[in-house]
Amino acid sequence: MALKEEKTELNTLTETFLEKDVLDAGSKILKETNSDSIKACAKIIAKAFGTDDSFSFSNAEAESKLVTSFNSNLTLLIQKTWVESYDAGLKEQVLYQLEQFSSLAKNGEWDKIYTPFIKIIYDAVYLMFGSQAKKDDFLEYAFRVDPEFGTFWWYLHMLPQETDWPAEKCRVLVLLGMYFLANY
């Protein structure tokens, strides 16, 4: 019964902050196998992140710039985050993983970087928000502090930690997450 209540609370929360088309796109993107449908769902979610109509998953030059911008912005964000001494090692580890991730992304190894991407983001959010990021009500906190960040956290939270999806699906889902953080 508690799980059902938790799911109902989560649905009510997301329905408060997200449009129905965004929620539907989030549900559909996880099940979808058609590349064009995945991109269409991702574009709906991207609009909730604040993108404009020029955002595309089909521009190699823009993709390369996005990888560079994501790496630069997240590296700077992590470097500027003050952490307790017991988290200093995690901070250095995340910076190293981010460097490795960016190298794989530049080489287009999307199926290899999906899981590391998810881990890097969870660790980076933990470094920024501390133990609050691991609490059950963090999604609500994120929505209330910054609705766009809340939308991003909802997106990340709905993604599985690991997957065996094709490289193209991984590419689109990772690029979508990278877009938000590159422009945050």
Side-chain angles (χ1 to χ4, degrees):
M1 184 72 174
L3 182 61
K4 187 175 182 178
E5 288 175 12
E6 182 179 313
K7 193 168 189 167
T8 301
E9 287 177 25
L10 181 61
N11 289 344
T12 302
L13 175 67
T14 55
E15 289 170 1
T16 299
F17 288 96
L18 299 173
E19 299 291 327
K20 183 176 180 349
D21 65 332
V22 175
L23 292 170
D24 291 346
S27 295
K28 186 176 178 184
I29 204 168
L30 297 175
K31 301 171 196 162
E32 193 58 58
T33 57
N34 177 281
S35 181
D36 290 335
S37 295
I38 292 166
K39 289 175 185 175
C41 291
K43 282 197 73 121
I44 292 168
I45 296 169
K47 282 194 180 251
F49 290 168
T51 64
D52 59 25
D53 289 332
S54 67
F55 181 72
S56 169
F57 292 100
S58 303
N59 182 327
E61 184 179 332
E63 186 176 302
S64 178
K65 288 180 182 178
L66 178 61
V67 170
T68 301
S69 180
F70 167 78
N71 184 41
S72 297
N73 286 0
L74 194 56
T75 297
L76 184 61
L77 188 61
I78 292 167
Q79 287 174 339
K80 297 285 184 188
T81 299
W82 180 87
V83 296
E84 297 287 345
S85 58
Y86 54 81
D87 282 332
L90 176 62
K91 183 176 179 176
E92 292 304 314
Q93 178 184 346
V94 172
L95 289 169
Y96 175 76
Q97 290 170 340
L98 181 58
E99 185 179 310
Q100 299 305 305
F101 167 86
S102 294
S103 176
L104 290 171
K106 287 177 182 176
N107 291 332
E109 299 183 55
W110 298 103
D111 53 334
K112 294 180 182 173
I113 62 172
Y114 173 88
T115 298
F117 173 76
I118 300 292
K119 182 170 179 7
I120 288 167
I121 302 308
Y122 272 94
D123 286 346
V125 169
Y126 167 77
L127 290 171
M128 291 185 288
F129 291 94
S131 62
Q132 176 70 33
K134 295 189 179 202
K135 292 184 178 177
D136 291 339
D137 66 347
F138 184 68
L139 179 61
E140 179 178 5
Y141 173 82
F143 272 125
R144 296 198 187 284
V145 169
D146 181 348
E148 284 184 356
F149 179 74
T151 301
F152 170 73
W153 192 248
W154 160 81
Y155 169 72
L156 190 71
H157 201 67
M158 75 168 191
L159 296 175
Q161 298 280 323
E162 296 181 17
T163 186
D164 60 352
W165 288 331
E168 178 61 12
K169 184 171 185 171
C170 292
R171 182 183 79 83
V172 170
L173 296 176
V174 170
L175 285 174
L176 181 56
M178 288 172 60
Y179 175 83
F180 178 81
L181 289 170
N183 294 289
Y184 188 63

